[in-house]
Amino acid sequence: MIIIGYESSCDETGVAVVCTERGLIAHALHSQIAMHQEYGGVVPELASRDHIRRVLPLTKQVLAEAGMALSDVDAVAFTAGPGLAGALLVGASVARSIAWALDLPAIPIHHLEGHLLSPLLDTPAPEFPFVALLVSGGHTQIMRVDGVGQYELLGETLDDAAGEAFDKSAKLMGLGYPGGPALSKMAQSGTPGAIVLPRPMKHSKDLDFSFSGLKTAVLTKLRALQAEQGTVSQQSLADLAAGTEAAIVDVLATKAIRALKQTGLKRLVVAGGVGANIPLREHLLSEASALGAKVFFPPIELCTDNGAMIAFAAALRARAGLLPVQLKNPSFTVRPRWDLHEIS
Ligand code: KG4
Ligand code: ZN
């Protein structure tokens, strides 16, 4: 079965073709980062308009790369939520229209399920059950995954997401948008341990997180440096970036390892944009191996939003016989707010 998948929940337009037997065949992506950079963050209306401009050329591109035509496609998957309402509606409308015109099933996919299952795109793929650390711009969750559609929430952030902590701290430091990669790059020239920031909830016995205090700690430190130096030196900024990254990575890794210990599972899957963070990867790999556990990441280019994970999640659902009923219903909606544990 050939599935074409659409991702348009935020600032990336992604289209991909996946075969339920052969896996990923082709994918194409347009990032809106350059467009939003000028505003210091995502402007929802501009995001929606840009998705409209990109979605059909990307469809043509991905089909050409796959050596296929729309007539070869058996189903159309799309991100139905969570995300920006207008942006989601673009992908949903296009996917539903193609499906309606060609009399194909249209498969709504939860964006986080796409992230969660994306490490299975790599080889070797992790076997179920596993612990998943889902770390994106909007979500930070630890899940127990027993199979496709079998997700148990073990812990989550009580306020800001890890990606948000990266983004907000980077903004305070004048590093622009998106903050995660910029802050991480800056941190490379910082001196480890020169600035130590608090690790909120690191020692709480649960698997929850809290990152909103971190930006206040960054702001306080920044003000102290300004008072001391006038214009803060590049070295101090790099030290602050290193301290911020170390604090986020430390808390994420501690809780992910605690989840492995609490569940007794030996496989950890890391997904979502923050999964591209190299120190986080290194920390998790070394701490998990000390426990005799293995860590799985999606390929770096598929950590952030993309169409491949959406088409692939639909393919896994199709293989597991878990497609929703009424796949040819012409009326549809999107869900800007949607908890992953609500789906099955
Ligand atoms: O999964 P994603 O592309 O979008 C959402 O679903 O939110 O994640 C985007 C988030 C942003 O907060 C971005 O700053 C962060 O992932 N991110 C990183 C890195 N690359 C992306 N954070 C830290 N280090 C990175 N290398
Ligand atoms: Zn995402």
Side-chain angles (χ1 to χ4, degrees), residues 226-244:
Q226 275 158 354
E228 218 175 88
Q229 305 175 357
T231 304
V232 182
S233 71
Q234 285 301 300
Q235 187 56 49
S236 294
L237 272 183
D239 291 346
L240 184 56
T244 308

mmCIF file with all atom_site columns, all heavy atoms in Angstrom, residues 226-244:
data_model
loop_
_atom_site.group_PDB
_atom_site.id
_atom_site.type_symbol
_atom_site.label_atom_id
_atom_site.label_alt_id
_atom_site.label_comp_id
_atom_site.label_asym_id
_atom_site.label_entity_id
_atom_site.label_seq_id
_atom_site.pdbx_PDB_ins_code
_atom_site.Cartn_x
_atom_site.Cartn_y
_atom_site.Cartn_z
_atom_site.occupancy
_atom_site.B_iso_or_equiv
_atom_site.pdbx_formal_charge
_atom_site.auth_seq_id
_atom_site.auth_comp_id
_atom_site.auth_asym_id
_atom_site.auth_atom_id
_atom_site.pdbx_PDB_model_num
ATOM 1   N N   . GLN A 1 226 ? 25.268 41.964 32.575 1.00 0.00 ? 226 GLN A N   1
ATOM 2   C CA  . GLN A 1 226 ? 25.171 43.312 31.988 1.00 0.00 ? 226 GLN A CA  1
ATOM 3   C C   . GLN A 1 226 ? 25.657 44.359 32.989 1.00 0.00 ? 226 GLN A C   1
ATOM 4   O O   . GLN A 1 226 ? 26.392 45.289 32.636 1.00 0.00 ? 226 GLN A O   1
ATOM 5   C CB  . GLN A 1 226 ? 23.733 43.613 31.563 1.00 0.00 ? 226 GLN A CB  1
ATOM 6   C CG  . GLN A 1 226 ? 23.416 43.093 30.173 1.00 0.00 ? 226 GLN A CG  1
ATOM 7   C CD  . GLN A 1 226 ? 21.917 42.894 29.945 1.00 0.00 ? 226 GLN A CD  1
ATOM 8   O OE1 . GLN A 1 226 ? 21.103 43.042 30.863 1.00 0.00 ? 226 GLN A OE1 1
ATOM 9   N NE2 . GLN A 1 226 ? 21.556 42.552 28.710 1.00 0.00 ? 226 GLN A NE2 1
ATOM 10  N N   . ALA A 1 227 ? 25.238 44.188 34.263 1.00 0.00 ? 227 ALA A N   1
ATOM 11  C CA  . ALA A 1 227 ? 25.645 45.138 35.305 1.00 0.00 ? 227 ALA A CA  1
ATOM 12  C C   . ALA A 1 227 ? 27.164 45.125 35.477 1.00 0.00 ? 227 ALA A C   1
ATOM 13  O O   . ALA A 1 227 ? 27.793 46.161 35.704 1.00 0.00 ? 227 ALA A O   1
ATOM 14  C CB  . ALA A 1 227 ? 24.948 44.780 36.622 1.00 0.00 ? 227 ALA A CB  1
ATOM 15  N N   . GLU A 1 228 ? 27.747 43.937 35.338 1.00 0.00 ? 228 GLU A N   1
ATOM 16  C CA  . GLU A 1 228 ? 29.186 43.753 35.514 1.00 0.00 ? 228 GLU A CA  1
ATOM 17  C C   . GLU A 1 228 ? 29.986 44.266 34.320 1.00 0.00 ? 228 GLU A C   1
ATOM 18  O O   . GLU A 1 228 ? 30.997 44.950 34.462 1.00 0.00 ? 228 GLU A O   1
ATOM 19  C CB  . GLU A 1 228 ? 29.417 42.242 35.600 1.00 0.00 ? 228 GLU A CB  1
ATOM 20  C CG  . GLU A 1 228 ? 30.449 41.738 36.572 1.00 0.00 ? 228 GLU A CG  1
ATOM 21  C CD  . GLU A 1 228 ? 30.386 40.211 36.536 1.00 0.00 ? 228 GLU A CD  1
ATOM 22  O OE1 . GLU A 1 228 ? 31.087 39.635 35.699 1.00 0.00 ? 228 GLU A OE1 1
ATOM 23  O OE2 . GLU A 1 228 ? 29.596 39.622 37.311 1.00 0.00 ? 228 GLU A OE2 1
ATOM 24  N N   . GLN A 1 229 ? 29.504 43.928 33.101 1.00 0.00 ? 229 GLN A N   1
ATOM 25  C CA  . GLN A 1 229 ? 30.329 44.140 31.906 1.00 0.00 ? 229 GLN A CA  1
ATOM 26  C C   . GLN A 1 229 ? 29.822 45.242 30.968 1.00 0.00 ? 229 GLN A C   1
ATOM 27  O O   . GLN A 1 229 ? 30.483 45.552 29.984 1.00 0.00 ? 229 GLN A O   1
ATOM 28  C CB  . GLN A 1 229 ? 30.421 42.836 31.077 1.00 0.00 ? 229 GLN A CB  1
ATOM 29  C CG  . GLN A 1 229 ? 30.931 41.644 31.854 1.00 0.00 ? 229 GLN A CG  1
ATOM 30  C CD  . GLN A 1 229 ? 30.886 40.351 31.015 1.00 0.00 ? 229 GLN A CD  1
ATOM 31  O OE1 . GLN A 1 229 ? 30.423 40.347 29.885 1.00 0.00 ? 229 GLN A OE1 1
ATOM 32  N NE2 . GLN A 1 229 ? 31.359 39.269 31.580 1.00 0.00 ? 229 GLN A NE2 1
ATOM 33  N N   . GLY A 1 230 ? 28.633 45.762 31.212 1.00 0.00 ? 230 GLY A N   1
ATOM 34  C CA  . GLY A 1 230 ? 28.013 46.658 30.216 1.00 0.00 ? 230 GLY A CA  1
ATOM 35  C C   . GLY A 1 230 ? 27.513 45.795 29.076 1.00 0.00 ? 230 GLY A C   1
ATOM 36  O O   . GLY A 1 230 ? 26.514 45.112 29.214 1.00 0.00 ? 230 GLY A O   1
ATOM 37  N N   . THR A 1 231 ? 28.230 45.794 27.965 1.00 0.00 ? 231 THR A N   1
ATOM 38  C CA  . THR A 1 231 ? 27.868 44.868 26.885 1.00 0.00 ? 231 THR A CA  1
ATOM 39  C C   . THR A 1 231 ? 28.463 43.495 27.222 1.00 0.00 ? 231 THR A C   1
ATOM 40  O O   . THR A 1 231 ? 29.678 43.381 27.434 1.00 0.00 ? 231 THR A O   1
ATOM 41  C CB  . THR A 1 231 ? 28.438 45.358 25.531 1.00 0.00 ? 231 THR A CB  1
ATOM 42  O OG1 . THR A 1 231 ? 27.971 46.678 25.321 1.00 0.00 ? 231 THR A OG1 1
ATOM 43  C CG2 . THR A 1 231 ? 27.999 44.462 24.389 1.00 0.00 ? 231 THR A CG2 1
ATOM 44  N N   . VAL A 1 232 ? 27.574 42.482 27.274 1.00 0.00 ? 232 VAL A N   1
ATOM 45  C CA  . VAL A 1 232 ? 28.033 41.149 27.692 1.00 0.00 ? 232 VAL A CA  1
ATOM 46  C C   . VAL A 1 232 ? 28.965 40.565 26.632 1.00 0.00 ? 232 VAL A C   1
ATOM 47  O O   . VAL A 1 232 ? 28.654 40.586 25.434 1.00 0.00 ? 232 VAL A O   1
ATOM 48  C CB  . VAL A 1 232 ? 26.818 40.218 27.932 1.00 0.00 ? 232 VAL A CB  1
ATOM 49  C CG1 . VAL A 1 232 ? 27.284 38.842 28.417 1.00 0.00 ? 232 VAL A CG1 1
ATOM 50  C CG2 . VAL A 1 232 ? 25.867 40.836 28.937 1.00 0.00 ? 232 VAL A CG2 1
ATOM 51  N N   . SER A 1 233 ? 30.111 40.051 27.084 1.00 0.00 ? 233 SER A N   1
ATOM 52  C CA  . SER A 1 233 ? 31.099 39.512 26.141 1.00 0.00 ? 233 SER A CA  1
ATOM 53  C C   . SER A 1 233 ? 30.580 38.235 25.475 1.00 0.00 ? 233 SER A C   1
ATOM 54  O O   . SER A 1 233 ? 29.718 37.538 26.029 1.00 0.00 ? 233 SER A O   1
ATOM 55  C CB  . SER A 1 233 ? 32.402 39.201 26.872 1.00 0.00 ? 233 SER A CB  1
ATOM 56  O OG  . SER A 1 233 ? 32.211 38.072 27.709 1.00 0.00 ? 233 SER A OG  1
ATOM 57  N N   . GLN A 1 234 ? 31.116 37.945 24.310 1.00 0.00 ? 234 GLN A N   1
ATOM 58  C CA  . GLN A 1 234 ? 30.732 36.725 23.582 1.00 0.00 ? 234 GLN A CA  1
ATOM 59  C C   . GLN A 1 234 ? 31.057 35.494 24.420 1.00 0.00 ? 234 GLN A C   1
ATOM 60  O O   . GLN A 1 234 ? 30.313 34.528 24.417 1.00 0.00 ? 234 GLN A O   1
ATOM 61  C CB  . GLN A 1 234 ? 31.466 36.653 22.230 1.00 0.00 ? 234 GLN A CB  1
ATOM 62  C CG  . GLN A 1 234 ? 30.900 37.598 21.186 1.00 0.00 ? 234 GLN A CG  1
ATOM 63  C CD  . GLN A 1 234 ? 29.415 37.332 20.883 1.00 0.00 ? 234 GLN A CD  1
ATOM 64  O OE1 . GLN A 1 234 ? 29.035 36.260 20.459 1.00 0.00 ? 234 GLN A OE1 1
ATOM 65  N NE2 . GLN A 1 234 ? 28.572 38.335 21.106 1.00 0.00 ? 234 GLN A NE2 1
ATOM 66  N N   . GLN A 1 235 ? 32.179 35.544 25.152 1.00 0.00 ? 235 GLN A N   1
ATOM 67  C CA  . GLN A 1 235 ? 32.562 34.385 25.968 1.00 0.00 ? 235 GLN A CA  1
ATOM 68  C C   . GLN A 1 235 ? 31.540 34.150 27.086 1.00 0.00 ? 235 GLN A C   1
ATOM 69  O O   . GLN A 1 235 ? 31.134 33.014 27.337 1.00 0.00 ? 235 GLN A O   1
ATOM 70  C CB  . GLN A 1 235 ? 33.972 34.586 26.553 1.00 0.00 ? 235 GLN A CB  1
ATOM 71  C CG  . GLN A 1 235 ? 34.507 33.355 27.282 1.00 0.00 ? 235 GLN A CG  1
ATOM 72  C CD  . GLN A 1 235 ? 34.522 32.099 26.389 1.00 0.00 ? 235 GLN A CD  1
ATOM 73  O OE1 . GLN A 1 235 ? 35.008 32.145 25.265 1.00 0.00 ? 235 GLN A OE1 1
ATOM 74  N NE2 . GLN A 1 235 ? 33.952 30.987 26.877 1.00 0.00 ? 235 GLN A NE2 1
ATOM 75  N N   . SER A 1 236 ? 31.088 35.246 27.736 1.00 0.00 ? 236 SER A N   1
ATOM 76  C CA  . SER A 1 236 ? 30.091 35.076 28.809 1.00 0.00 ? 236 SER A CA  1
ATOM 77  C C   . SER A 1 236 ? 28.775 34.554 28.242 1.00 0.00 ? 236 SER A C   1
ATOM 78  O O   . SER A 1 236 ? 28.099 33.732 28.862 1.00 0.00 ? 236 SER A O   1
ATOM 79  C CB  . SER A 1 236 ? 29.846 36.400 29.530 1.00 0.00 ? 236 SER A CB  1
ATOM 80  O OG  . SER A 1 236 ? 31.011 36.789 30.207 1.00 0.00 ? 236 SER A OG  1
ATOM 81  N N   . LEU A 1 237 ? 28.409 35.061 27.045 1.00 0.00 ? 237 LEU A N   1
ATOM 82  C CA  . LEU A 1 237 ? 27.175 34.566 26.418 1.00 0.00 ? 237 LEU A CA  1
ATOM 83  C C   . LEU A 1 237 ? 27.300 33.079 26.114 1.00 0.00 ? 237 LEU A C   1
ATOM 84  O O   . LEU A 1 237 ? 26.358 32.305 26.317 1.00 0.00 ? 237 LEU A O   1
ATOM 85  C CB  . LEU A 1 237 ? 26.904 35.319 25.106 1.00 0.00 ? 237 LEU A CB  1
ATOM 86  C CG  . LEU A 1 237 ? 26.098 36.606 25.198 1.00 0.00 ? 237 LEU A CG  1
ATOM 87  C CD1 . LEU A 1 237 ? 25.865 37.167 23.799 1.00 0.00 ? 237 LEU A CD1 1
ATOM 88  C CD2 . LEU A 1 237 ? 24.745 36.398 25.898 1.00 0.00 ? 237 LEU A CD2 1
ATOM 89  N N   . ALA A 1 238 ? 28.467 32.684 25.628 1.00 0.00 ? 238 ALA A N   1
ATOM 90  C CA  . ALA A 1 238 ? 28.695 31.260 25.324 1.00 0.00 ? 238 ALA A CA  1
ATOM 91  C C   . ALA A 1 238 ? 28.654 30.429 26.604 1.00 0.00 ? 238 ALA A C   1
ATOM 92  O O   . ALA A 1 238 ? 28.084 29.328 26.623 1.00 0.00 ? 238 ALA A O   1
ATOM 93  C CB  . ALA A 1 238 ? 30.033 31.089 24.611 1.00 0.00 ? 238 ALA A CB  1
ATOM 94  N N   . ASP A 1 239 ? 29.222 30.971 27.702 1.00 0.00 ? 239 ASP A N   1
ATOM 95  C CA  . ASP A 1 239 ? 29.182 30.258 28.984 1.00 0.00 ? 239 ASP A CA  1
ATOM 96  C C   . ASP A 1 239 ? 27.733 30.105 29.461 1.00 0.00 ? 239 ASP A C   1
ATOM 97  O O   . ASP A 1 239 ? 27.346 29.059 29.992 1.00 0.00 ? 239 ASP A O   1
ATOM 98  C CB  . ASP A 1 239 ? 29.988 31.022 30.055 1.00 0.00 ? 239 ASP A CB  1
ATOM 99  C CG  . ASP A 1 239 ? 31.494 30.997 29.774 1.00 0.00 ? 239 ASP A CG  1
ATOM 100 O OD1 . ASP A 1 239 ? 31.928 30.178 28.931 1.00 0.00 ? 239 ASP A OD1 1
ATOM 101 O OD2 . ASP A 1 239 ? 32.225 31.799 30.388 1.00 0.00 ? 239 ASP A OD2 1
ATOM 102 N N   . LEU A 1 240 ? 26.955 31.174 29.262 1.00 0.00 ? 240 LEU A N   1
ATOM 103 C CA  . LEU A 1 240 ? 25.542 31.119 29.679 1.00 0.00 ? 240 LEU A CA  1
ATOM 104 C C   . LEU A 1 240 ? 24.774 30.099 28.823 1.00 0.00 ? 240 LEU A C   1
ATOM 105 O O   . LEU A 1 240 ? 23.944 29.340 29.329 1.00 0.00 ? 240 LEU A O   1
ATOM 106 C CB  . LEU A 1 240 ? 24.914 32.519 29.564 1.00 0.00 ? 240 LEU A CB  1
ATOM 107 C CG  . LEU A 1 240 ? 23.473 32.660 30.043 1.00 0.00 ? 240 LEU A CG  1
ATOM 108 C CD1 . LEU A 1 240 ? 23.301 32.192 31.490 1.00 0.00 ? 240 LEU A CD1 1
ATOM 109 C CD2 . LEU A 1 240 ? 22.992 34.111 29.920 1.00 0.00 ? 240 LEU A CD2 1
ATOM 110 N N   . ALA A 1 241 ? 25.064 30.096 27.518 1.00 0.00 ? 241 ALA A N   1
ATOM 111 C CA  . ALA A 1 241 ? 24.412 29.114 26.632 1.00 0.00 ? 241 ALA A CA  1
ATOM 112 C C   . ALA A 1 241 ? 24.781 27.699 27.073 1.00 0.00 ? 241 ALA A C   1
ATOM 113 O O   . ALA A 1 241 ? 23.915 26.806 27.150 1.00 0.00 ? 241 ALA A O   1
ATOM 114 C CB  . ALA A 1 241 ? 24.839 29.353 25.185 1.00 0.00 ? 241 ALA A CB  1
ATOM 115 N N   . ALA A 1 242 ? 26.064 27.487 27.397 1.00 0.00 ? 242 ALA A N   1
ATOM 116 C CA  . ALA A 1 242 ? 26.503 26.152 27.832 1.00 0.00 ? 242 ALA A CA  1
ATOM 117 C C   . ALA A 1 242 ? 25.807 25.754 29.130 1.00 0.00 ? 242 ALA A C   1
ATOM 118 O O   . ALA A 1 242 ? 25.373 24.601 29.294 1.00 0.00 ? 242 ALA A O   1
ATOM 119 C CB  . ALA A 1 242 ? 28.023 26.137 28.013 1.00 0.00 ? 242 ALA A CB  1
ATOM 120 N N   . GLY A 1 243 ? 25.669 26.726 30.057 1.00 0.00 ? 243 GLY A N   1
ATOM 121 C CA  . GLY A 1 243 ? 25.003 26.444 31.335 1.00 0.00 ? 243 GLY A CA  1
ATOM 122 C C   . GLY A 1 243 ? 23.530 26.112 31.140 1.00 0.00 ? 243 GLY A C   1
ATOM 123 O O   . GLY A 1 243 ? 22.974 25.231 31.810 1.00 0.00 ? 243 GLY A O   1
ATOM 124 N N   . THR A 1 244 ? 22.876 26.818 30.199 1.00 0.00 ? 244 THR A N   1
ATOM 125 C CA  . THR A 1 244 ? 21.451 26.581 29.930 1.00 0.00 ? 244 THR A CA  1
ATOM 126 C C   . THR A 1 244 ? 21.261 25.199 29.315 1.00 0.00 ? 244 THR A C   1
ATOM 127 O O   . THR A 1 244 ? 20.401 24.417 29.738 1.00 0.00 ? 244 THR A O   1
ATOM 128 C CB  . THR A 1 244 ? 20.912 27.656 28.952 1.00 0.00 ? 244 THR A CB  1
ATOM 129 O OG1 . THR A 1 244 ? 21.251 28.938 29.466 1.00 0.00 ? 244 THR A OG1 1
ATOM 130 C CG2 . THR A 1 244 ? 19.420 27.543 28.768 1.00 0.00 ? 244 THR A CG2 1
#
